[in-house]
Amino acid sequence: MSLDLDARLEKQLAFIAELDKMKGIIRHTPLMDASRRETDAEHSWHIAVMALLLAEHADEPVDAVKVMKMLLIHDVVEIDAGDTFIYDAVGNADKAEREQRAADRLFGLLPDDQAAEMRALWDEFEDRQTADARFAASIDRFQPILNNHLAGGGSWQANKVQPETVLSFNESRIGGASKRLWTRIKEMIHLSIARGDFPAP
Amino acid sequence: MSLDLDARLEKQLAFIAELDKMKGIIRHTPLMDASRRETDAEHSWHIAVMALLLAEHADEPVDAVKVMKMLLIHDVVEIDAGDTFIYDAVGNADKAEREQRAADRLFGLLPDDQAAEMRALWDEFEDRQTADARFAASIDRFQPILNNHLAGGGSWQANKVQPETVLSFNESRIGGASKRLWTRIKEMIHLSIARGDFPAP
């Protein structure tokens, strides 16, 4: 048993060392003080805590702990596949295939049972077929809009994203999981439109 | 009910906006590639995932989910109180008082029930009286040593920390919660000594 646990620890440490690379992946989303863009590790931490606190706003009952676990590991595939900007059609064309290969390699570093558990969480998140996955995805979309709004434009300005794009893209992704969160985020987007946070058309 | 949930959401968003400041608090610990020092948000994310994966190595049974929640929020008080280097005796003298005030203000932004839940997790972590809190603290200490080791010295070099200090300080903090993790981390420290990762005495 002890030998077995020693061997498991080595596999876990190999995965844990890979995780450090999440601190080097820069997202398009700014910090709220607009001082720089956030990393994947920072984003994953922020939305995991958000999920715990906001689970009561989901339209369907959700398992907040499962949602939190999904969000902690949902971007790990970007260690191999890189971060693809959500409004980038070209980059998103082969994203799924790149991320599947990344999931195979990265979760495959873990002991088999933990690899299967992590992969199941990631697959469930990607498939969006459960209330937990849809709510997790809505929090993953809510946070960048909140940060852009509080930073005065952020990735909308930097990437010439129009408010109509943000509204139409996120209506089902956020509003389909929580009408309350979508109502609140629409208020923020309209305030951002009114004060000129978006680029000229 | 809806009005009540709208009011709760505003309180939650005030706390969530504060959380963003964790991305601006720079720790002494380097990334494993030694490119820069990590932020509180990055550290909190890393150790939360580590806790999930390493819980089986705890000497006493632990609730991995509770440990993960503790680690996600354990450093939030540093938004007001700042990060104090663990081997800094002067900075640590009034640390507890500064952090208590910070906990009052920050968790107090949340709806009462969530404030109480977060505060209870933080108090339990700080008190180290339960197996969950001791294991959480051991992971909080394991990760910086792992990062320093893989980065070739990191905060040991930068702050002239001797290996005897690292060994004596962490023996109870890590070894008291997991003999297996302490055995492994001692191997890393001795390898770091052998290859010159520590500063000259």
Side-chain angles (χ1 to χ4, degrees):
Chain A
M1 184 61 172
S2 177
L3 260 182
D4 184 53
L5 280 168
D6 284 338
R8 288 175 64 87
L9 178 55
E10 294 313 303
K11 287 171 184 266
Q12 290 154 346
L13 289 175
F15 182 74
I16 286 163
E18 287 286 340
L19 290 183
D20 210 66
K21 297 177 184 168
M22 287 276 279
K23 303 169 189 173
I25 303 174
I26 313 294
R27 290 167 48 80
H28 287 79
T29 306
L31 303 201
M32 289 177 184
D33 68 6
S35 58
R36 63 168 170 85
R37 288 153 60 188
E38 67 181 358
T39 67
D40 261 359
E42 292 170 328
H43 164 71
S44 299
W45 170 77
H46 205 176
I47 59 177
V49 183
M50 287 173 70
L52 263 189
L53 296 171
L54 301 180
E56 66 193 26
H57 303 297
D59 290 340
E60 295 176 81
V62 293
D63 175 346
V65 168
K66 190 174 186 186
V67 171
M68 183 177 58
K69 287 185 188 177
M70 274 183 197
L71 290 174
L72 282 173
I73 59 98
H74 80 296
D75 271 344
V76 162
V77 293
E78 296 186 358
I79 290 168
D80 286 358
D83 176 43
T84 307
F85 191 46
I86 196 110
Y87 304 116
D88 167 13
V90 176
N92 279 286
D94 67 340
K95 179 172 178 264
E97 189 197 321
R98 283 184 285 123
E99 293 195 344
Q100 288 286 338
R101 279 200 304 271
D104 289 345
R105 185 185 81 80
L106 289 159
F107 297 128
L109 295 170
L110 287 165
D112 289 347
D113 57 324
Q114 292 187 328
E117 185 194 346
M118 294 290 130
R119 183 56 181 259
L121 284 169
W122 185 76
D123 284 341
E124 183 175 341
F125 177 79
E126 289 295 305
D127 292 343
R128 308 282 199 279
Q129 296 300 307
T130 63
D132 291 339
R134 285 189 294 269
F135 185 68
S138 78
I139 298 296
D140 187 38
R141 293 301 312 137
F142 186 100
Q143 184 262 344
I145 300 177
L146 179 64
N147 275 49
N148 276 333
H149 170 71
L150 292 173
S155 67
W156 300 329
Q157 282 283 348
N159 300 279
K160 300 195 187 311
V161 177
Q162 293 302 313
E164 299 73 27
T165 306
V166 179
L167 287 164
S168 65
F169 186 88
N170 292 292
E171 179 161 18
S172 62
R173 288 171 174 80
I174 299 176
S178 169
K179 283 188 279 295
R180 184 170 300 101
L181 293 184
W182 179 237
T183 297
R184 191 66 184 84
I185 215 78
K186 268 194 300 186
E187 287 173 16
M188 293 182 199
I189 294 168
H190 285 292
L191 180 55
S192 272
I193 293 171
R195 69 186 186 196
D197 291 348
F198 284 94
Chain B
M1 184 60 171
S2 176
L3 259 180
D4 183 54
L5 281 169
D6 284 339
R8 288 175 64 85
L9 178 56
E10 293 314 303
K11 287 171 185 267
Q12 290 154 346
L13 289 175
F15 182 76
I16 286 163
E18 288 286 339
L19 291 183
D20 210 66
K21 297 175 184 168
M22 288 274 281
K23 304 169 190 174
I25 303 173
I26 312 295
R27 290 167 48 80
H28 288 79
T29 308
L31 303 200
M32 290 177 184
D33 68 6
S35 58
R36 62 168 170 85
R37 287 153 60 187
E38 67 180 0
T39 67
D40 262 359
E42 291 169 330
H43 164 70
S44 299
W45 170 77
H46 205 175
I47 60 178
V49 182
M50 287 174 70
L52 263 189
L53 296 170
L54 301 180
E56 66 194 25
H57 303 296
D59 290 340
E60 294 176 82
V62 294
D63 175 346
V65 168
K66 191 175 186 185
V67 171
M68 182 176 58
K69 287 183 186 178
M70 275 183 197
L71 291 174
L72 282 172
I73 59 99
H74 80 295
D75 271 344
V76 161
V77 294
E78 297 186 357
I79 290 169
D80 285 357
D83 177 42
T84 308
F85 190 46
I86 197 109
Y87 304 115
D88 167 13
V90 177
N92 279 287
D94 67 339
K95 178 170 179 265
E97 189 198 322
R98 285 183 285 123
E99 293 194 344
Q100 289 285 340
R101 279 200 305 271
D104 289 344
R105 185 186 81 79
L106 289 160
F107 297 129
L109 296 170
L110 286 166
D112 290 348
D113 57 323
Q114 291 187 328
E117 185 193 345
M118 293 291 128
R119 182 58 181 259
L121 284 168
W122 185 75
D123 284 341
E124 182 175 342
F125 177 80
E126 289 295 307
D127 292 343
R128 309 281 198 279
Q129 296 301 309
T130 62
D132 291 339
R134 285 189 293 269
F135 185 68
S138 78
I139 298 296
D140 187 38
R141 295 298 316 137
F142 186 99
Q143 182 262 345
I145 299 176
L146 180 65
N147 275 51
N148 276 333
H149 171 70
L150 291 173
S155 66
W156 300 328
Q157 282 284 349
N159 301 280
K160 301 196 187 307
V161 177
Q162 294 300 315
E164 298 74 25
T165 306
V166 179
L167 286 164
S168 64
F169 186 90
N170 291 292
E171 178 161 18
S172 63
R173 288 170 174 80
I174 299 176
S178 170
K179 283 188 279 295
R180 184 171 298 103
L181 293 185
W182 179 238
T183 298
R184 191 64 183 84
I185 215 77
K186 269 194 298 186
E187 287 173 16
M188 293 183 200
I189 294 168
H190 285 291
L191 181 54
S192 273
I193 294 170
R195 71 186 182 196
D197 292 348
F198 284 92

